[in-house]
Structure formats: structure tokens, C-alpha cells
Amino acid sequence: MASVDSTGSSVSGRLRSGDLLHTGLAVALLLGVWSVAGLEVSVGKVPHLEALNGSTVLLPCTYSSCIGISKLYFNWHYDDNGTMQKLCEAVIPMEGVEPKVSVYHERVEFVGSSKTNNISILLWNITFDDEGQYICFARNPKEKYRNHSAPFTLIVVDQLKEVESTLTVIIVSVLGGCIALAIFGMVIKGLVVQFVLKDDDKNKECLVSSGNDNTENGVTGAKADNKGTPKTPKA
Ligand SMILES: *[C@@H]1O[C@H](CO)[C@@H](O)[C@H](O)[C@H]1NC(C)=O
Ligand SMILES: *[C@@H]1O[C@H](CO)[C@@H](O)[C@H](O)[C@H]1NC(C)=O
Ligand SMILES: *[C@@H]1O[C@H](CO)[C@@H](O)[C@H](O)[C@H]1NC(C)=O
Ligand SMILES: *[C@@H]1O[C@H](CO)[C@@H](O)[C@H](O)[C@H]1NC(C)=O
Ligand SMILES: *[C@@H]1O[C@H](CO)[C@@H](O)[C@H](O)[C@H]1NC(C)=O
């Protein structure tokens, strides 16, 4: 009896796990469909930019949606140390129709186009105060007003530092070149000296040649003998 009970419970357990699996699959499928159909905003593969003080930068953003858009609302805002500052906003009535963009920042210009799903902006004449995070935000009424956003980080660097770094690069490379030249010169000098000395040695060798040659021959001869001895047993 006990064994039957145990099998019964195990069967119901299997059934339960099967149900779980089914609901899990359904949820996964729903999620998958949702994420495929949903709106996506993107600031590109590299979500940050380092730019010179005084330059004009493009803050890139594009959107895509499989179910299409209608009255797509978007804005750009700047995270000014926690407080959000809206830079611009607009509604794209439908696909391919250009939006009427309201711009709230004197140096921001909308350069996007609905034809390319592009909602990028230009930020003119940047200063160090412009450094920080810019957020591209979009919301599609077709998707029950789900929010989508992508952050883009702007880093502002000083032109002076840039010049300094190039100067250091130049100095380092010039120094390096000088050192390399000095080493090269030393090597050449060394080679020449050695060559001259060798000539001298040869001359000396010529003078005391016979003894030297004999010992060398003796050594090589001994080596040959050593090599020869293991061969003989094999053959
Ligand atoms: C940044 O650039 C502007 C204009 O080029 C210049 O007036 C300003 O002094 C620069 N700021 C610094 C800290 O270098
Ligand atoms: C950001 O705000 C906090 C307080 O709200 C302040 O202590 C901090 O210095 C601020 N940072 C910058 C970079 O302004
Ligand atoms: C950017 O700076 C240039 C030169 O200083 C000026 O002519 C131009 O009007 C500025 N642009 C904006 C949008 O402030
Ligand atoms: C968006 O438009 C701007 C201005 O025309 C352009 O520079 C940028 O490359 C475009 N971005 C994409 C991803 O097409
Ligand atoms: C979407 O963002 C708005 C603010 O722009 C907020 O009021 C709303 O609650 C958000 N909705 C969701 C579903 O997060």
C-alpha cells in the first residue's frame, strides 16, 4: 500500500512540474513576443563620447518598433546631478511624418528624421558644465505607454590638455629617437672597434698561429671521436 501511495504522489508531482513547465513556456513566449514587438531606443554601440571644450557634438538616438508607431512621444533630457532637465520633446504623428520639435535649450538642435527613425540632437559649443548623462526617452501609445530610454554619456576634455598630451608625445618621441640614435651610434662604434680589434687579434694570431691552431684541432678532433663512439655499437 505504501508503495502505491508513493507512486501516486510521484505521478501528481510530475503532473505539477509539467504544468509549471507549460506556464513557464507560455510566459517565456509572451515575454519574447513582447520584447520583439516592443519599441526600442538606442544610442548606438558606444554610449559615450569624449569631446573637446568648445566643440559641437551629436547625441545619437534611433528607435525601432515591429508593431509600428503612432503618436510616438520622445524627449531628450539631461541628468543635471539628479535633477532632470528637459532639452527637447516632440510627438511623431505616424511613421515617416516629421515631428514638430519643441527645444528648451539654446544650444540644442534637433537633427533627426522620421524617415530614418532618427531622433538625434546636436549640442553646440559645449562647455565643461555640459558633461554628464543625456537620456533619450520614447513612449509608444500602441504599447500601453511603456517607457523606453537609453543613456548617453558626454565627457568634455580641455583643448590645453590635448595640446599638452601631444607635446609630451612629441617630447617623448624626440627623446626616444635621440636615445635610439645614441644606442645605434654606440653599437656601430662597438662593432667598428671590435672589427679593428679583431683585425689586431688576427694579426696577433698570425704571429702566434701554430700553437692556437693545434689546440683547436685537438678539441674538434676529440669531439669527433666522441660522436663516433656511440655510432659504432649500433652499426
Ligand atoms: C573652454 O572653451 C571656451 C571657448 O573655446 C573658452 O572660452 C574657455 O576658456 C574654455 N575653458 C577652459 C576651462 O579651458
Ligand atoms: C550633486 O549634488 C549634491 C547634493 O545634492 C552635491 O553635494 C554635489 O556636490 C553635487 N555634485 C555636482 C557635481 O554638482
Ligand atoms: C557657437 O559658437 C559660435 C562661435 O563662438 C557662434 O557663432 C555660434 O552662434 C554658437 N552657436 C550656438 C548655437 O550657440
Ligand atoms: C542621425 O542623423 C544625424 C544628422 O543627420 C546623422 O549625423 C546621424 O549619423 C544619424 N544617425 C543614424 C544612426 O542614422
Ligand atoms: C513613464 O514615465 C513617466 C514620466 O515620463 C511616468 O510618469 C510614468 O509613470 C512612467 N510609466 C511607466 C509604466 O513606467
Side-chain angles (χ1 to χ4, degrees), residues 47-59 78 105 107 123-134 152-162:
H48 54 83
L49 178 70
E50 207 168 284
L52 274 181
N53 169 33
S55 64
T56 295
V57 295
L58 177 81
L59 306 180
Y78 172 55
H105 189 290
R107 285 181 289 116
L123 184 58
W124 284 84
N125 305 342
I126 57 169
T127 67
F128 289 96
D129 291 338
D130 295 328
E131 200 164 73
Q133 201 167 64
Y134 293 79
F152 188 83
T153 306
L154 179 64
I155 300 150
V156 182
V157 293
D158 202 334
Q159 200 149 10
L160 277 175
K161 271 179 197 161
E162 199 84 343

Short mmCIF file of all heavy atoms in Angstrom, two decimals, residues 47-59 78 105 107 123-134 152-162:
data_model
loop_
_atom_site.label_atom_id
_atom_site.label_comp_id
_atom_site.label_asym_id
_atom_site.label_seq_id
_atom_site.Cartn_x
_atom_site.Cartn_y
_atom_site.Cartn_z
N PRO A 47 27.97 54.07 -26.07
CA PRO A 47 27.06 55.05 -25.46
C PRO A 47 27.77 56.17 -24.72
O PRO A 47 27.29 56.65 -23.72
CB PRO A 47 26.25 54.18 -24.49
CG PRO A 47 27.20 53.11 -24.09
CD PRO A 47 28.13 52.87 -25.25
N HIS A 48 28.95 56.55 -25.19
CA HIS A 48 29.64 57.69 -24.57
C HIS A 48 30.53 58.37 -25.60
O HIS A 48 30.87 57.78 -26.63
CB HIS A 48 30.47 57.23 -23.37
CG HIS A 48 31.43 56.13 -23.68
ND1 HIS A 48 32.67 56.36 -24.24
CD2 HIS A 48 31.32 54.81 -23.55
CE1 HIS A 48 33.27 55.21 -24.41
NE2 HIS A 48 32.48 54.25 -24.01
N LEU A 49 30.89 59.60 -25.30
CA LEU A 49 31.69 60.39 -26.23
C LEU A 49 32.60 61.32 -25.46
O LEU A 49 32.17 61.93 -24.47
CB LEU A 49 30.76 61.19 -27.15
CG LEU A 49 31.44 62.12 -28.17
CD1 LEU A 49 32.13 61.31 -29.24
CD2 LEU A 49 30.42 63.05 -28.78
N GLU A 50 33.82 61.42 -25.88
CA GLU A 50 34.76 62.36 -25.29
C GLU A 50 34.97 63.46 -26.32
O GLU A 50 35.37 63.18 -27.45
CB GLU A 50 36.07 61.63 -25.00
CG GLU A 50 36.86 62.22 -23.86
CD GLU A 50 37.99 61.32 -23.43
OE1 GLU A 50 37.71 60.31 -22.74
OE2 GLU A 50 39.14 61.61 -23.80
N ALA A 51 34.66 64.70 -25.93
CA ALA A 51 34.74 65.79 -26.91
C ALA A 51 35.45 66.99 -26.32
O ALA A 51 35.46 67.19 -25.10
CB ALA A 51 33.34 66.17 -27.37
N LEU A 52 36.02 67.79 -27.20
CA LEU A 52 36.78 68.98 -26.79
C LEU A 52 35.85 70.09 -26.33
O LEU A 52 34.78 70.29 -26.91
CB LEU A 52 37.60 69.49 -27.97
CG LEU A 52 38.97 68.89 -28.20
CD1 LEU A 52 39.62 69.55 -29.38
CD2 LEU A 52 39.82 69.05 -26.96
N ASN A 53 36.28 70.80 -25.31
CA ASN A 53 35.62 72.03 -24.88
C ASN A 53 35.46 72.96 -26.08
O ASN A 53 36.40 73.20 -26.80
CB ASN A 53 36.51 72.65 -23.79
CG ASN A 53 36.11 74.05 -23.44
OD1 ASN A 53 34.93 74.36 -23.48
ND2 ASN A 53 37.07 74.88 -23.08
N GLY A 54 34.24 73.45 -26.27
CA GLY A 54 34.02 74.38 -27.37
C GLY A 54 33.52 73.73 -28.65
O GLY A 54 33.05 74.42 -29.55
N SER A 55 33.58 72.40 -28.74
CA SER A 55 33.15 71.73 -29.97
C SER A 55 31.64 71.49 -29.96
O SER A 55 30.97 71.74 -28.96
CB SER A 55 33.91 70.41 -30.15
OG SER A 55 33.58 69.52 -29.12
N THR A 56 31.14 71.02 -31.07
CA THR A 56 29.72 70.70 -31.21
C THR A 56 29.58 69.20 -31.37
O THR A 56 30.29 68.60 -32.18
CB THR A 56 29.14 71.43 -32.43
OG1 THR A 56 29.20 72.84 -32.17
CG2 THR A 56 27.70 71.05 -32.69
N VAL A 57 28.70 68.60 -30.57
CA VAL A 57 28.61 67.13 -30.57
C VAL A 57 27.23 66.65 -30.99
O VAL A 57 26.23 67.33 -30.78
CB VAL A 57 28.96 66.54 -29.18
CG1 VAL A 57 30.40 66.82 -28.83
CG2 VAL A 57 28.04 67.07 -28.10
N LEU A 58 27.22 65.46 -31.56
CA LEU A 58 25.98 64.78 -31.92
C LEU A 58 25.63 63.81 -30.80
O LEU A 58 26.45 62.96 -30.43
CB LEU A 58 26.15 64.02 -33.24
CG LEU A 58 24.94 63.21 -33.68
CD1 LEU A 58 23.91 64.09 -34.35
CD2 LEU A 58 25.35 62.10 -34.64
N LEU A 59 24.43 63.95 -30.25
CA LEU A 59 23.94 62.97 -29.28
C LEU A 59 23.01 62.05 -30.06
O LEU A 59 21.89 62.45 -30.43
CB LEU A 59 23.21 63.66 -28.13
CG LEU A 59 24.00 64.76 -27.41
CD1 LEU A 59 23.17 65.37 -26.28
CD2 LEU A 59 25.30 64.23 -26.84
N TYR A 78 18.60 65.86 -19.72
CA TYR A 78 19.96 65.87 -19.19
C TYR A 78 19.88 65.66 -17.68
O TYR A 78 19.12 66.34 -17.00
CB TYR A 78 20.62 67.22 -19.51
CG TYR A 78 21.96 67.45 -18.86
CD1 TYR A 78 23.00 66.55 -19.04
CD2 TYR A 78 22.19 68.58 -18.06
CE1 TYR A 78 24.23 66.76 -18.45
CE2 TYR A 78 23.42 68.79 -17.48
CZ TYR A 78 24.44 67.88 -17.67
OH TYR A 78 25.65 68.08 -17.08
N HIS A 105 16.50 74.29 -24.92
CA HIS A 105 17.89 74.60 -24.60
C HIS A 105 18.45 75.39 -25.77
O HIS A 105 18.27 75.00 -26.92
CB HIS A 105 18.65 73.28 -24.39
CG HIS A 105 20.04 73.44 -23.86
ND1 HIS A 105 21.05 73.98 -24.61
CD2 HIS A 105 20.58 73.12 -22.66
CE1 HIS A 105 22.16 73.99 -23.87
NE2 HIS A 105 21.89 73.47 -22.68
N ARG A 107 21.34 75.80 -26.97
CA ARG A 107 22.39 75.23 -27.82
C ARG A 107 22.01 73.85 -28.37
O ARG A 107 22.87 73.14 -28.90
CB ARG A 107 23.70 75.17 -27.03
CG ARG A 107 24.36 76.56 -26.89
CD ARG A 107 25.65 76.50 -26.13
NE ARG A 107 25.44 76.23 -24.72
CZ ARG A 107 25.86 75.14 -24.09
NH1 ARG A 107 26.52 74.22 -24.75
NH2 ARG A 107 25.61 74.96 -22.81
N LEU A 123 24.42 69.24 -29.84
CA LEU A 123 24.66 70.16 -28.74
C LEU A 123 25.82 71.04 -29.16
O LEU A 123 26.95 70.56 -29.32
CB LEU A 123 24.97 69.39 -27.45
CG LEU A 123 25.15 70.22 -26.18
CD1 LEU A 123 23.90 71.06 -25.88
CD2 LEU A 123 25.46 69.32 -24.99
N TRP A 124 25.51 72.33 -29.36
CA TRP A 124 26.50 73.26 -29.90
C TRP A 124 27.43 73.78 -28.81
O TRP A 124 27.04 73.95 -27.66
CB TRP A 124 25.79 74.45 -30.53
CG TRP A 124 25.20 74.14 -31.87
CD1 TRP A 124 23.98 73.56 -32.12
CD2 TRP A 124 25.80 74.39 -33.14
NE1 TRP A 124 23.80 73.44 -33.46
CE2 TRP A 124 24.89 73.94 -34.13
CE3 TRP A 124 27.01 74.95 -33.55
CZ2 TRP A 124 25.16 74.03 -35.49
CZ3 TRP A 124 27.29 75.05 -34.89
CH2 TRP A 124 26.37 74.59 -35.85
N ASN A 125 28.67 74.10 -29.21
CA ASN A 125 29.64 74.82 -28.37
C ASN A 125 29.67 74.34 -26.92
O ASN A 125 29.38 75.09 -25.99
CB ASN A 125 29.31 76.32 -28.38
CG ASN A 125 29.26 76.89 -29.79
OD1 ASN A 125 29.77 76.29 -30.73
ND2 ASN A 125 28.65 78.04 -29.94
N ILE A 126 30.01 73.09 -26.72
CA ILE A 126 29.92 72.51 -25.37
C ILE A 126 30.93 73.13 -24.40
O ILE A 126 32.02 73.53 -24.79
CB ILE A 126 30.10 70.97 -25.39
CG1 ILE A 126 31.43 70.56 -26.03
CG2 ILE A 126 28.94 70.29 -26.08
CD1 ILE A 126 31.77 69.10 -25.83
N THR A 127 30.52 73.17 -23.13
CA THR A 127 31.41 73.62 -22.05
C THR A 127 31.53 72.47 -21.04
O THR A 127 30.86 71.44 -21.18
CB THR A 127 30.82 74.84 -21.32
OG1 THR A 127 29.63 74.43 -20.64
CG2 THR A 127 30.49 75.97 -22.30
N PHE A 128 32.33 72.70 -20.01
CA PHE A 128 32.52 71.63 -19.01
C PHE A 128 31.23 71.38 -18.23
O PHE A 128 31.04 70.28 -17.71
CB PHE A 128 33.67 71.99 -18.08
CG PHE A 128 35.00 71.89 -18.76
CD1 PHE A 128 35.61 73.01 -19.30
CD2 PHE A 128 35.63 70.66 -18.90
CE1 PHE A 128 36.82 72.91 -19.97
CE2 PHE A 128 36.83 70.56 -19.56
CZ PHE A 128 37.43 71.69 -20.10
N ASP A 129 30.35 72.37 -18.18
CA ASP A 129 29.08 72.19 -17.48
C ASP A 129 28.16 71.21 -18.21
O ASP A 129 27.20 70.70 -17.64
CB ASP A 129 28.35 73.55 -17.33
CG ASP A 129 29.09 74.46 -16.36
OD1 ASP A 129 29.86 73.93 -15.54
OD2 ASP A 129 28.91 75.69 -16.45
N ASP A 130 28.45 70.97 -19.49
CA ASP A 130 27.60 70.07 -20.28
C ASP A 130 27.94 68.60 -20.05
O ASP A 130 27.25 67.71 -20.54
CB ASP A 130 27.74 70.38 -21.78
CG ASP A 130 27.21 71.75 -22.12
OD1 ASP A 130 26.26 72.19 -21.46
OD2 ASP A 130 27.76 72.40 -23.03
N GLU A 131 29.02 68.36 -19.31
CA GLU A 131 29.43 66.97 -19.07
C GLU A 131 28.34 66.25 -18.27
O GLU A 131 27.70 66.85 -17.41
CB GLU A 131 30.74 66.98 -18.26
CG GLU A 131 31.51 65.71 -18.36
CD GLU A 131 32.95 65.89 -17.87
OE1 GLU A 131 33.13 66.01 -16.66
OE2 GLU A 131 33.85 65.93 -18.72
N GLY A 132 28.15 64.98 -18.58
CA GLY A 132 27.19 64.19 -17.82
C GLY A 132 26.37 63.26 -18.70
O GLY A 132 26.76 62.95 -19.82
N GLN A 133 25.22 62.84 -18.14
CA GLN A 133 24.41 61.84 -18.82
C GLN A 133 23.19 62.48 -19.51
O GLN A 133 22.45 63.24 -18.88
CB GLN A 133 23.94 60.80 -17.81
CG GLN A 133 23.55 59.50 -18.46
CD GLN A 133 23.39 58.40 -17.43
OE1 GLN A 133 22.52 58.47 -16.56
NE2 GLN A 133 24.23 57.38 -17.51
N TYR A 134 23.04 62.13 -20.79
CA TYR A 134 21.89 62.56 -21.58
C TYR A 134 21.04 61.35 -21.87
O TYR A 134 21.55 60.31 -22.26
CB TYR A 134 22.39 63.22 -22.88
CG TYR A 134 23.12 64.52 -22.63
CD1 TYR A 134 24.44 64.51 -22.21
CD2 TYR A 134 22.47 65.74 -22.78
CE1 TYR A 134 25.11 65.69 -21.95
CE2 TYR A 134 23.14 66.92 -22.52
CZ TYR A 134 24.44 66.90 -22.11
OH TYR A 134 25.10 68.07 -21.83
N PHE A 152 23.22 58.32 -22.66
CA PHE A 152 24.43 58.61 -23.42
C PHE A 152 25.29 59.55 -22.58
O PHE A 152 24.79 60.57 -22.09
CB PHE A 152 24.07 59.27 -24.76
CG PHE A 152 25.23 59.45 -25.70
CD1 PHE A 152 25.64 58.41 -26.52
CD2 PHE A 152 25.92 60.65 -25.76
CE1 PHE A 152 26.71 58.58 -27.39
CE2 PHE A 152 26.99 60.83 -26.62
CZ PHE A 152 27.38 59.78 -27.44
N THR A 153 26.56 59.19 -22.40
CA THR A 153 27.42 59.98 -21.51
C THR A 153 28.36 60.86 -22.32
O THR A 153 29.03 60.39 -23.25
CB THR A 153 28.24 59.03 -20.61
OG1 THR A 153 27.34 58.16 -19.93
CG2 THR A 153 29.04 59.83 -19.59
N LEU A 154 28.39 62.13 -21.95
CA LEU A 154 29.29 63.09 -22.61
C LEU A 154 30.41 63.46 -21.66
O LEU A 154 30.16 63.84 -20.51
CB LEU A 154 28.51 64.34 -23.02
CG LEU A 154 29.33 65.44 -23.70
CD1 LEU A 154 29.88 64.97 -25.02
CD2 LEU A 154 28.49 66.71 -23.89
N ILE A 155 31.63 63.33 -22.14
CA ILE A 155 32.81 63.73 -21.36
C ILE A 155 33.48 64.88 -22.11
O ILE A 155 33.74 64.77 -23.30
CB ILE A 155 33.78 62.53 -21.21
CG1 ILE A 155 33.07 61.38 -20.48
CG2 ILE A 155 35.04 62.95 -20.46
CD1 ILE A 155 33.57 60.02 -20.88
N VAL A 156 33.71 65.98 -21.41
CA VAL A 156 34.32 67.16 -22.04
C VAL A 156 35.78 67.24 -21.60
O VAL A 156 36.08 67.18 -20.41
CB VAL A 156 33.57 68.44 -21.64
CG1 VAL A 156 34.18 69.64 -22.35
CG2 VAL A 156 32.10 68.33 -21.98
N VAL A 157 36.66 67.36 -22.59
CA VAL A 157 38.09 67.46 -22.27
C VAL A 157 38.62 68.83 -22.72
O VAL A 157 38.08 69.45 -23.62
CB VAL A 157 38.91 66.32 -22.94
CG1 VAL A 157 38.55 64.99 -22.33
CG2 VAL A 157 38.71 66.30 -24.43
N ASP A 158 39.66 69.26 -22.05
CA ASP A 158 40.24 70.57 -22.29
C ASP A 158 41.17 70.53 -23.50
O ASP A 158 41.95 69.60 -23.67
CB ASP A 158 41.04 70.99 -21.06
CG ASP A 158 41.23 72.48 -21.00
OD1 ASP A 158 41.22 73.12 -22.07
OD2 ASP A 158 41.37 73.01 -19.89
N GLN A 159 41.06 71.57 -24.32
CA GLN A 159 41.92 71.64 -25.51
C GLN A 159 43.40 71.74 -25.09
O GLN A 159 44.27 71.18 -25.73
CB GLN A 159 41.54 72.85 -26.33
CG GLN A 159 42.01 72.77 -27.78
CD GLN A 159 41.07 73.48 -28.72
OE1 GLN A 159 40.18 74.20 -28.27
NE2 GLN A 159 41.23 73.29 -30.00
N LEU A 160 43.63 72.47 -23.98
CA LEU A 160 45.00 72.63 -23.48
C LEU A 160 45.62 71.28 -23.16
O LEU A 160 46.76 71.00 -23.51
CB LEU A 160 45.00 73.50 -22.23
CG LEU A 160 44.98 75.01 -22.49
CD1 LEU A 160 44.87 75.77 -21.18
CD2 LEU A 160 46.26 75.42 -23.21
N LYS A 161 44.81 70.45 -22.47
CA LYS A 161 45.32 69.12 -22.10
C LYS A 161 45.68 68.33 -23.34
O LYS A 161 46.68 67.64 -23.38
CB LYS A 161 44.27 68.37 -21.27
CG LYS A 161 44.39 68.65 -19.79
CD LYS A 161 43.32 67.90 -19.03
CE LYS A 161 43.19 68.48 -17.63
NZ LYS A 161 41.91 68.12 -17.01
N GLU A 162 44.82 68.49 -24.36
CA GLU A 162 45.06 67.78 -25.62
C GLU A 162 46.41 68.21 -26.19
O GLU A 162 47.25 67.40 -26.56
CB GLU A 162 43.94 68.13 -26.61
CG GLU A 162 43.80 67.17 -27.75
CD GLU A 162 42.96 65.96 -27.36
OE1 GLU A 162 42.76 65.71 -26.14
OE2 GLU A 162 42.52 65.27 -28.25
#
